[in-house]
Amino acid sequence: WNHEHIATLARCLVLPEKRAYKIIRHLADYVLVWAGGRGDDLAKSPHMCRIGTSVYPDISPNDPTCQQFGFYQDRTPTPMMAKSVIYKLHSHNKAPGAQVNPKYFKEVYSSKYGLVRIFKVL
């Protein structure tokens, strides 16, 4: 794997769901999300955004450090974060308004405490 491969995966996770789905459906049958709190996939997602933007500047135009992708001090997601695949998969049916599009993804597994979630790409 090289930087471009990792950036492509990052692109799939940080783009808005509709744009990301057009790529994901060609790359994967399932998406696993670690939702265990500190250090989980959502915590790593701003770094994913920066990696993705370094190769695909359209992810976060005119914002190479992805300041628009994250959370406000009150812990609500920024608009860019709220639209992202990673936020929707991580917070699906757990945070207000966070739901994946049922035409794109179906949750097929959630561990006992919801730390691991697996979604089928439709």
Side-chain angles (χ1 to χ4, degrees):
W1 282 71
N2 61 30
H3 188 74
E4 287 77 19
H5 289 109
I6 295 167
T8 300
L9 291 177
R11 181 179 178 83
C12 292
L13 294 172
V14 302
L15 282 176
E17 193 175 20
K18 186 175 182 179
R19 285 181 62 201
Y21 176 74
K22 291 177 181 180
I23 303 166
I24 293 170
R25 67 190 179 109
H26 296 290
L27 298 177
D29 295 321
Y30 294 88
V31 179
L32 183 146
V33 178
W34 173 250
R38 294 183 184 185
D40 66 9
D41 289 341
L42 200 58
K44 295 178 183 99
S45 64
H47 189 60
M48 290 182 217
C49 185
R50 288 189 294 275
I51 292 170
T53 299
S54 72
V55 175
Y56 303 105
D58 66 309
I59 291 174
S60 189
N62 303 314
D63 183 19
T65 59
C66 298
Q67 296 298 308
Q68 298 172 17
F69 188 82
F71 292 89
Y72 296 114
Q73 288 183 342
D74 66 358
R75 301 182 64 83
T76 58
T78 61
M80 187 178 176
M81 173 65 82
K83 294 175 189 172
S84 71
V85 168
I86 191 65
Y87 179 78
K88 289 187 175 196
L89 294 175
H90 176 281
S91 304
H92 177 68
N93 290 334
K94 291 185 176 188
Q99 292 186 320
V100 295
N101 186 326
K103 293 188 311 187
Y104 302 152
F105 301 100
K106 177 184 178 186
E107 186 171 17
V108 294
Y109 176 79
S110 183
S111 63
K112 182 177 179 179
Y113 298 107
L115 301 180
V116 175
R117 304 180 85 181
I118 300 175
F119 292 83
K120 181 172 179 49
V121 179
L122 303 176

